[in-house]
Amino acid sequence: MSFGKKDEDAESRGVFFDKSQVLLETRVFNETPLNPRKSRLLLGKVLTLLYTGEHLTRAEATDLFFATTKLFQNKDPGLRQIIYLLIKELADKADDVLMVTSSLTKDINAKPEELFASPNLLSSAAASFGFSFGSRTTSLSSASAALGAGAGPGAILGTNVCHRANALRAICRIMDPSTIPAIERFLKQAIVDRTAAVSTAALVSSYHVFPVARDLVRRWVNEVQEALTSPKVTSTSPSAYLSTGYIVQYHALGLLYLIRQADRMAVAKLVQSLARTSNVRSQWAQCMLVRFAVKCCEDESASFGGKNMVSVDGSLSAAMYEYLKSLCNNNDMVMLEAARALVSMVNSTPASLTATQVQPAVTALQQLLVSPKPALKFAALRTLHQLAQVNASLVTACNLDMEQLVSDSNRSIATFAITTLLKTGTESSVDRLMKQISSFMSEISDEFKVIIIDAIRVLAVKFPAKQAVMLSFLASVLRDEGGYEYKRSVVEAIFDLVKVLPDCLETALAHLCEFIEDCEFTKLAVRILHLLGAEGPKTRDPAKYLRYIYNRVILENSNVRAAAVTALAAFGAHVDSVRPTVRVLLTRCLDDPDDEVRDRATFNLAALDQADLRAQYLLNDTVLAVPTLQAKLAHYTAAGDFAHAVDVAAVPRIPKAELVPARRRAGSPTRGGAMNSPMLGSPAMRTMTPTLGPATPTPAAQAAAPGGASTQWLEKEPLLAPLLPTLFKSTSSVALTDRELEYHVSLVKHVFRDWLVLEIEVVNTMPEVLLENVAVSLVPDTPIDTVMKQMAVVPIASLKAHDPQRVFVAFQRAPGAVPTVSFATKLTMTVKDCDPVTHVPDSDQGYPEEFAVEDVDVTLADYMLPTTVPDFSSAWDALDEPSQVVETLQVPGIPTLAVAVAQIVDLLGMRALEGSNMVPAEKHAHTLVLGGVFLGGVPVLVRVRMVLDAGAQAVAMEVAVRAGVPEVAQVVAQALQG
Amino acid sequence: MNLTLYTVKALILLDVSNGSRVLAKYYNTGAPSNAATSPAVATGPAPTSTEFATLKDQKTFERRLWEKTRKLLNNEIILFNNHVVVYKGMADVMLFVVGSLEENELMLSSVLNTLYEAINLVLLKYQTEKRTIIENMDLVALAIDECIDNGIVIETDPGTIASRVSKRPSELADISFNDPNSISGAMNKVRDSFFAGILLK
């Protein structure tokens, strides 16, 4: 314990004692007579070792553990308490820790006068092996009685009580599932102990062992209930610190919930009864109660299909709402919890609260905002910020208070204030706010800046009139010092502005050009060059950007040079007037030292000169749908049959713009993201770039078809997995039942070259029932035997509650047949009653049951993948005239053209091209053009000219279909007639 | 929403001058424990996240936390690495309480204050500084143990906690003038009887 000079170095690294030295010193535990004081100090050193992260080997820990158990011989309370602590710390590090069970049991049971009064009482200590409970039936009530009477003046305050509590907590740590029943009796009795410390120790210990001793702990529910309601004493001394002991309620409530959590009705009843009375006195318990109440409401609204239950009188949620509202003027901790609960109920679903309903929460939070304590301000702001994400208008009442906090010394608070204000701010306050932010930007760290830039981006989109202010602000911060993440967020913000507000394109590009002149971040320079290539040609004077881009070719590293070459080529391809210039510049790049740059230059030069290559490569703004392609390649390589080339024609094309997944933008950052953003090291802040990922089969397969379901379950089915290389399409999952029913059933259709596989997912929601041999019976509405035959059904052998499993039904289709059919569908299964926890059936006898679900329809859309073509009219001309099929039809009962368009797109499963799915209002004639890839990779194009007869609510249409194969055109045209 | 009683993810004491660890306890880190030998524990209530599973992860977390907070001792609260962290300086060390992102800040702050006061109480007349904490680790560790049990807050009243921390065994058994601890030991004894006297009054 001496701190020599030489130790100071080690000490500053957090090494205070030498491990081997300390372990050696534990020999004093063997001395007779034992020196309790020395032993305790030494155990303090051991704890220091453990807490500073010193690693003990299993052998060292075990030795230490057994050395420590020898100390049980001594009766000193001060020593005993620290032994308990050490046992807990070593419980998971040492072997054979069960050895001390009997010593601990003895302490738990000991009468107070026995515990430390007589030093001669033989301690069980290390010598005792095995379990010898129950030999003494010490009465706990006598212990309590003695305590109630007050221990003698010689006794240390509450020592006995504490030690029983400590022994309880320690013993639960060393038990394993097989030995816990042996201490059941003590725990159960201790739960209802009059002393808070003992009761808490028992409750918390039960809580810890619950996962391994569910059934046991469940049996104590009455005791726990009693602990929740009966008053406690905390200390035997009249004048000592008197805590109220209500904290026991917190532990009892937590345990009660844990026991009952599977049973929604019981939880609801518990919460409701506690909310009605004022029996819950502990703030902590009240906070827990609030959370349980929210959970109840969520469960309820989920089971009622998201209807607003709060407005329904007498419903559970209505009662909960009243309860939460009443808590909004409680003490700070509970008030915050209740307000946060109310805020969490405000969301965009119909089940959310109205503005008036959430008002009490806002008022409560407003009170917290003016508190001097940072934690309070922080908590209130964080909650308001979250509310502002959903509905900014609700927070405006707090604007004045929040403006005060913009200059708060805690930067987390200031940032939350700013970002919330940016959300709630009105157009008129923007200028003032921006000025405030500008003065503030230089003082804060990059992480905060990123958050603020994000908020500004959202604001700029919200108030287009203010874009000039925003843009000049962004441009000015772009010039400031800053790290990559920060600069990136600024560049992203400008990109977004360009996308949403075409007016500011030229100014924005000018700022960006200036930025890349002196940009240290290769990634950003590349992205900006790409944007210049994409947007620059659309401006009035494209030529001026060439200089900026070519400067990069001269001055930058190879990555940037390559990007610059591509950008140059884009100008050359789109703008005829600059093409000669671009050609000259590209020619110079042919001598570049980097081969990628040279390759790009060569390729682009070649493509520029020939109109058809130019159209195919430089002006083509569609790409293959990468996930589909990736899945296809994965299946192809997995199959190992390389005799045939991959069928690229069957891969749909999508516009380039859609390659970038819809990014988090405008008013919809996720709640979690918004809550955790400040201070994050921000790698996970935003995933802007498309994550196309490594080519592992599983993620590829998951994204098999855009919007489609994954094939991961199919891959696990040995019977069906061999089909995968011929997979054409997987549809997205469709529910076949309502959410309220006892079984949830949903369907995914997998279409193969010659097969059709129905994947039917079944979820059993009833814990007390086990389903066995779940299969599906499908009855077609029309005879299909000639075109399609059901070949196999893979049933579910056994289905537990809340464990989704799948039935597969495989059909083989006749070659070339694309049958459309509707199946009347029902599940067949054997139902057995079972234990809700272990899922072991009560008896072997079950009863058969049938369960009808909605019809399964196989439509033409299932054989079609939506795709896009660069230019519809040229693609249309390219397909043979003779393949064209024209139909005219009159469709009644359609009010508007938009409805007609939606129905056609839905029916055919094709992609509307050239924005033709948008029907201008008030128009009575419209042409819809569609693109698709039919089964087998056959390109299909459809042109629908339609005229609305508003009076008759009917649409007359002329459908022209062209396809690579005439029969396919026939089939598609016929599908529309139906 | 945290529906369990597991509130505190970690409790950390760091040296304010260099960020080295004085004391750290991480709760439910997913490290194998005896009870966890049963597979059933995986479905239990304890949020056994593995983010602090290794000493290296813990030290990295502490180092970065210290870098973030050392100049902002009065800020009291920070969102850090998807955690809410409340903290307080005590002489030459900093006390941190780490909770999950959705945790009620005031609960954490209440734990922090409880610990702060309880540690001050058990160290009584000593300055609460790094050296005294190490020298009195038995008292400090017991105080922490009476406040937090494996991530569950078991007592929020610092006085109650302090009263549950037992005093050191008396010196009488081995008074030895060669013992370098005898002076401080004697002082402890004086203090202990003083303490007990007050409490019993």
Side-chain angles (χ1 to χ4, degrees):
Chain A
M1 200 149 292
S2 57
F3 289 83
K5 255 242 155 41
K6 62 176 172 23
D7 294 339
E8 259 171 27
D9 184 43
E11 204 184 300
S12 71
R13 297 196 315 268
V15 180
F16 301 96
F17 304 112
D18 180 57
K19 180 174 84 170
S20 45
Q21 180 71 36
V22 172
L23 290 179
L24 207 64
E25 280 179 52
T26 55
R27 278 179 309 191
V28 302
F29 296 166
N30 294 328
E31 283 171 11
T32 37
L34 188 72
N35 182 335
R37 180 180 182 84
K38 225 175 181 176
S39 306
R40 168 150 160 163
L41 291 176
L42 187 59
L43 288 179
K45 281 191 192 176
V46 173
L47 285 170
T48 309
L49 284 181
L50 291 172
Y51 291 163
T52 44
E54 191 73 58
H55 177 75
L56 293 187
T57 65
R58 201 117 195 130
E60 283 169 340
T62 309
D63 285 350
L64 181 62
F65 184 80
F66 280 96
T68 311
T69 54
K70 302 212 176 76
L71 300 176
F72 267 107
Q73 285 166 12
N74 194 286
K75 290 277 151 192
D76 188 282
L79 181 60
R80 188 63 61 88
Q81 195 182 19
I82 205 151
I83 298 175
Y84 297 138
L85 179 55
L86 202 80
I87 288 175
K88 287 205 289 181
E89 297 296 346
L90 291 178
D92 50 3
K93 296 188 173 68
D95 293 321
D96 299 326
V97 288
L98 282 168
M99 295 308 194
V100 292
T101 310
S102 65
S103 305
L104 290 171
T105 319
K106 209 163 213 167
D107 286 356
I108 295 171
N109 284 339
K111 288 181 188 157
E113 60 272 20
E114 268 177 57
L115 234 184
F116 298 115
S118 150
N120 297 325
L121 191 78
L122 188 69
S123 165
S124 50
S128 61
F129 283 72
F131 310 104
S132 55
F133 309 127
S135 58
R136 293 170 352 151
T137 49
T138 315
S139 130
L140 283 172
S141 63
S142 78
S144 314
L147 289 170
I156 290 113
L157 253 188
T159 295
N160 306 316
V161 178
C162 274
H163 287 75
R164 274 176 58 215
N166 289 333
L168 264 173
R169 289 198 277 133
I171 200 168
C172 286
R173 206 61 66 78
I174 58 166
M175 294 313 236
D176 63 25
S178 61
T179 49
I180 289 172
I183 55 162
E184 172 181 9
R185 196 166 51 87
F186 315 128
L187 267 175
K188 196 168 155 183
Q189 279 174 329
I191 287 175
V192 289
D193 196 280
R194 255 166 41 105
T195 324
V198 177
S199 183
T200 280
L203 288 166
V204 169
S205 302
S206 312
Y207 201 87
H208 291 316
V209 299
F210 184 79
V212 292
R214 260 164 224 276
D215 294 332
L216 202 65
V217 178
R218 261 178 234 279
R219 291 210 288 267
W220 309 336
V221 71
N222 286 332
E223 280 76 14
V224 180
Q225 188 90 48
E226 194 185 325
L228 181 62
T229 44
S230 63
K232 302 286 172 204
V233 292
T234 47
S235 170
T236 50
S237 158
S239 66
Y241 303 100
L242 275 176
S243 100
T244 51
Y246 291 129
I247 190 84
V248 178
Q249 291 189 323
Y250 168 64
H251 305 119
L253 185 60
L255 184 58
L256 210 50
Y257 177 79
L258 193 62
I259 293 174
R260 295 203 168 146
Q261 88 203 116
D263 184 351
R264 253 161 53 180
M265 289 313 290
V267 171
K269 234 162 79 190
L270 170 73
V271 175
Q272 229 166 351
S273 69
L274 288 174
R276 224 180 296 123
T277 62
S278 54
N279 277 345
V280 179
R281 308 285 287 276
S282 153
Q283 305 168 18
W284 287 69
Q286 280 179 340
C287 287
M288 281 324 270
L289 195 55
V290 167
R291 291 179 194 175
F292 299 153
V294 173
K295 183 82 173 64
C296 285
C297 294
E298 279 173 5
D299 288 346
E300 193 190 41
S301 83
S303 63
F304 284 90
K307 284 183 223 86
N308 185 348
M309 299 309 295
V310 174
S311 57
V312 181
D313 270 340
S315 82
L316 176 65
S317 300
M320 294 302 163
Y321 170 73
E322 286 305 319
Y323 170 63
L324 293 177
K325 205 170 78 175
S326 73
L327 290 180
C328 277
N329 38 27
N330 209 293
N331 74 59
D332 291 346
M333 189 195 285
V334 183
M335 182 154 91
L336 174 71
E337 194 69 47
R340 196 164 274 177
L342 287 173
V343 166
S344 77
M345 290 165 144
V346 179
N347 51 43
S348 48
T349 68
S352 70
L353 298 175
T354 62
T356 5
Q357 279 171 324
V358 80
Q359 192 53 45
V362 177
T363 318
L365 293 171
Q366 195 167 8
Q367 284 174 34
L368 298 182
L369 278 184
V370 293
S371 152
K373 290 187 196 144
L376 279 174
K377 289 189 280 192
F378 177 89
L381 262 178
R382 191 156 82 123
T383 316
L384 286 171
H385 179 255
Q386 184 193 331
L387 181 59
Q389 305 288 337
V390 188
N391 189 339
S393 63
L394 296 177
V395 188
T396 29
C398 306
N399 273 3
L400 266 180
D401 294 306
M402 287 192 291
E403 283 191 28
Q404 300 288 316
L405 296 176
V406 166
S407 48
D408 197 279
S409 63
N410 184 324
R411 288 305 177 200
S412 304
I413 293 178
T415 313
F416 269 128
I418 287 246
T419 45
T420 314
L421 279 171
L422 286 173
K423 273 251 144 45
T424 64
T426 53
E427 191 149 0
S428 55
S429 67
V430 166
D431 289 320
R432 188 159 44 103
L433 215 51
M434 297 301 280
K435 210 169 281 166
Q436 234 169 339
I437 296 171
S438 313
S439 64
F440 168 94
M441 279 307 256
S442 57
E443 305 166 23
I444 56 177
S445 68
D446 273 13
E447 285 92 340
F448 287 120
K449 290 181 185 167
V450 169
I451 295 155
I452 289 170
I453 297 293
D454 268 358
I456 288 175
R457 185 179 67 172
V458 174
L459 198 64
V461 174
K462 197 161 115 198
F463 300 122
K466 292 289 173 194
Q467 48 154 302
V469 185
M470 308 284 183
L471 197 57
S472 66
F473 173 79
L474 290 175
S476 74
V477 295
L478 202 51
R479 269 177 235 122
D480 292 345
E481 287 293 300
Y484 170 69
E485 284 299 330
Y486 169 47
K487 293 285 173 168
R488 193 190 71 167
S489 76
V490 178
V491 171
E492 293 287 354
I494 297 182
F495 277 23
D496 267 20
L497 279 179
V498 169
K499 211 170 277 169
V500 183
L501 309 164
D503 294 350
C504 64
L505 176 64
E506 300 219 1
T507 339
L509 287 187
H511 287 308
L512 290 175
C513 282
E514 191 188 323
F515 175 59
I516 54 170
E517 288 286 289
D518 183 24
C519 170
E520 54 190 308
F521 307 109
T522 301
K523 270 190 195 162
L524 286 182
V526 168
R527 295 196 58 188
I528 291 171
L529 284 168
H530 177 76
L531 183 82
L532 280 175
E535 303 290 338
K538 297 180 195 159
T539 56
R540 266 170 302 163
D541 181 15
K544 71 175 174 197
Y545 298 108
L546 294 182
R547 179 172 63 84
Y548 290 106
I549 299 175
Y550 192 66
N551 275 348
R552 298 303 99 212
V553 176
I554 301 169
L555 298 168
E556 289 280 0
N557 63 39
S558 57
N559 288 359
V560 179
R561 290 202 306 273
V565 165
T566 309
L568 278 178
F571 276 88
H574 287 93
V575 188
D576 294 338
S577 60
V578 300
R579 194 167 304 139
T581 327
V582 169
R583 196 174 292 134
V584 172
L585 294 174
L586 286 181
T587 314
R588 284 188 208 161
C589 298
L590 291 175
D591 301 329
D592 196 278
D594 185 81
D595 52 354
E596 171 72 18
V597 179
R598 282 198 309 274
D599 288 353
R600 287 195 189 199
T602 315
F603 165 75
N604 283 311
L605 269 176
L608 273 182
D609 286 336
Q610 295 172 38
D612 55 331
L613 285 181
R614 198 160 70 221
Q616 193 181 348
Y617 292 109
L618 298 182
L619 300 177
N620 184 355
D621 59 353
T622 68
V623 288
L624 290 173
V626 176
T628 319
L629 179 66
Q630 198 177 0
K632 211 167 176 62
L633 291 175
H635 294 319
Y636 181 78
T637 46
D641 172 17
F642 302 120
H644 311 282
V646 181
D647 185 10
V648 179
V651 177
R653 300 186 78 88
I654 55 169
K656 262 183 194 164
E658 284 175 29
L659 199 60
V660 182
R663 71 167 72 141
R664 220 185 68 186
R665 61 135 83 260
S668 62
T670 56
R671 180 176 143 200
M675 294 284 281
N676 64 28
S677 34
M679 290 299 196
L680 282 189
S682 70
M685 285 241 340
R686 289 179 298 161
T687 42
M688 290 293 191
T689 43
T691 45
L692 297 175
T696 52
T698 317
Q702 273 167 356
S710 84
T711 56
Q712 54 168 326
W713 303 109
L714 211 54
E715 284 163 19
K716 297 203 179 104
E717 203 51 62
L719 202 60
L720 302 173
L723 291 177
L724 277 172
T726 63
L727 178 68
F728 174 70
K729 172 179 184 176
S730 297
T731 63
S732 48
S733 173
V734 185
L736 295 180
T737 51
D738 289 335
R739 295 299 291 171
E740 286 96 273
L741 293 176
E742 53 269 56
Y743 311 120
H744 297 166
V745 183
S746 57
L747 166 77
V748 173
K749 291 173 272 189
H750 301 282
V751 180
F752 298 88
R753 195 175 57 215
D754 304 316
W755 290 75
L756 171 73
V757 175
L758 304 180
E759 175 183 331
I760 296 158
E761 183 185 276
V762 188
V763 183
N764 170 16
T765 62
M766 295 184 296
E768 64 278 4
V769 166
L770 183 74
L771 304 181
E772 288 190 347
N773 209 9
V774 183
V776 175
S777 132
L778 296 160
V779 181
D781 59 345
T782 51
I784 53 162
D785 291 347
T786 51
V787 284
M788 190 155 98
K789 214 183 267 170
Q790 181 172 334
M791 300 301 281
V793 179
V794 182
I796 302 170
S798 144
L799 183 66
K800 293 182 293 197
H802 304 296
D803 174 26
Q805 296 216 42
R806 290 147 197 86
V807 181
F808 293 96
V809 185
F811 291 92
Q812 188 169 27
R813 296 195 316 272
V818 282
T820 56
V821 64
S822 178
F823 293 103
T825 309
K826 62 186 186 226
L827 297 183
T828 60
M829 53 210 162
T830 308
V831 181
K832 287 182 181 174
D833 293 333
C834 73
D835 184 296
V837 180
T838 59
H839 302 294
V840 175
D842 296 342
S843 73
D844 286 342
Q845 288 297 309
Y847 51 91
E849 191 177 89
E850 293 192 343
F851 181 75
V853 296
E854 282 174 31
D855 291 356
V856 171
D857 296 319
V858 180
T859 65
L860 182 81
D862 294 332
Y863 304 109
M864 185 79 80
L865 278 175
T867 190
T868 186
V869 289
D871 176 20
F872 182 79
S873 62
S874 61
W876 181 255
D877 293 339
L879 282 177
D880 285 346
E881 184 79 41
S883 78
Q884 176 163 330
V885 178
V886 181
E887 299 275 348
T888 43
L889 9 138
Q890 188 82 18
V891 188
I894 295 181
T896 65
L897 285 176
V899 174
V901 167
Q903 283 186 358
I904 294 173
V905 171
D906 205 39
L907 186 66
L908 294 180
M910 297 171 76
R911 174 192 278 274
L913 300 174
E914 304 183 342
S916 64
N917 56 338
M918 309 297 280
V919 186
E922 307 303 317
K923 257 184 83 177
H924 292 289
H926 182 65
T927 303
L928 170 70
V929 289
L930 299 165
V933 175
F934 198 72
L935 186 69
V938 180
V940 183
L941 293 173
V942 174
R943 187 189 63 207
V944 187
R945 294 201 182 108
M946 52 182 106
V947 177
L948 176 71
D949 182 349
Q953 296 234 320
V955 176
M957 47 182 111
E958 180 225 61
V959 183
V961 184
R962 288 187 183 183
V965 180
E967 293 78 33
V968 172
Q970 250 347 305
V971 172
V972 174
Q974 273 167 10
L976 268 181
Q977 273 183 324
Chain B
M1 200 164 38
N2 179 6
L3 293 172
T4 70
L5 295 180
Y6 296 99
T7 310
V8 181
K9 283 196 161 182
L11 165 80
I12 307 167
L13 267 166
L14 297 182
D15 186 324
V16 78
S17 61
N18 60 16
S20 72
R21 185 191 268 194
V22 178
L23 179 160
K25 279 195 70 60
Y26 290 80
Y27 300 106
N28 297 310
T29 52
S33 73
N34 253 47
T37 44
S38 149
V41 86
T43 58
T48 47
S49 72
T50 50
E51 55 183 328
F52 296 130
T54 68
L55 184 66
K56 191 164 160 274
D57 296 344
Q58 298 177 358
K59 293 256 174 156
T60 324
F61 179 80
E62 286 160 27
R63 157 88 19 196
R64 294 189 41 217
L65 185 58
W66 171 74
E67 279 167 4
K68 272 268 183 263
T69 49
R70 64 189 169 133
K71 293 206 181 104
L72 305 161
L73 274 178
N74 299 323
N75 278 358
E76 288 186 23
I77 186 161
I78 187 175
L79 283 185
F80 180 73
N81 249 13
N82 283 330
H83 293 94
V84 175
V85 181
V86 290
Y87 59 99
K88 224 180 169 110
M90 15 175 31
D92 58 353
V93 291
M94 293 167 85
L95 175 62
F96 297 88
V97 172
V98 183
S100 71
L101 197 58
E102 74 267 29
E103 198 47 79
N104 185 327
E105 293 87 344
L106 302 185
M107 283 184 164
L108 294 175
S109 153
S110 152
V111 180
L112 177 77
N113 289 324
T114 303
L115 277 171
Y116 177 85
E117 284 174 39
I119 292 176
N120 276 328
L121 272 175
V122 294
L123 296 182
L124 207 64
K125 65 182 177 179
Y126 299 114
Q127 263 284 334
T128 308
E129 57 185 24
K130 179 170 149 183
R131 184 162 298 204
T132 11
I133 289 175
I134 294 294
E135 279 175 23
N136 296 283
M137 187 57 91
D138 52 336
L139 295 169
V140 175
L142 287 173
I144 292 171
D145 181 58
E146 292 295 340
C147 180
I148 305 168
D149 186 71
N150 209 16
I152 300 183
V153 175
I154 55 174
E155 181 54 64
T156 53
D157 179 57
T160 309
I161 292 173
S163 74
R164 285 180 189 163
V165 173
S166 61
K167 63 169 192 170
R168 288 177 174 169
S170 73
E171 192 76 0
L172 292 171
D174 71 323
I175 288 186
S176 137
F177 292 101
N178 297 331
D179 186 345
N181 294 322
S182 63
I183 300 291
S184 80
M187 274 165 61
N188 276 346
K189 189 174 149 38
V190 170
R191 174 179 66 99
D192 289 343
S193 43
F194 173 74
F195 189 41
I198 289 181
L199 296 180
L200 283 170
K201 190 176 61 178

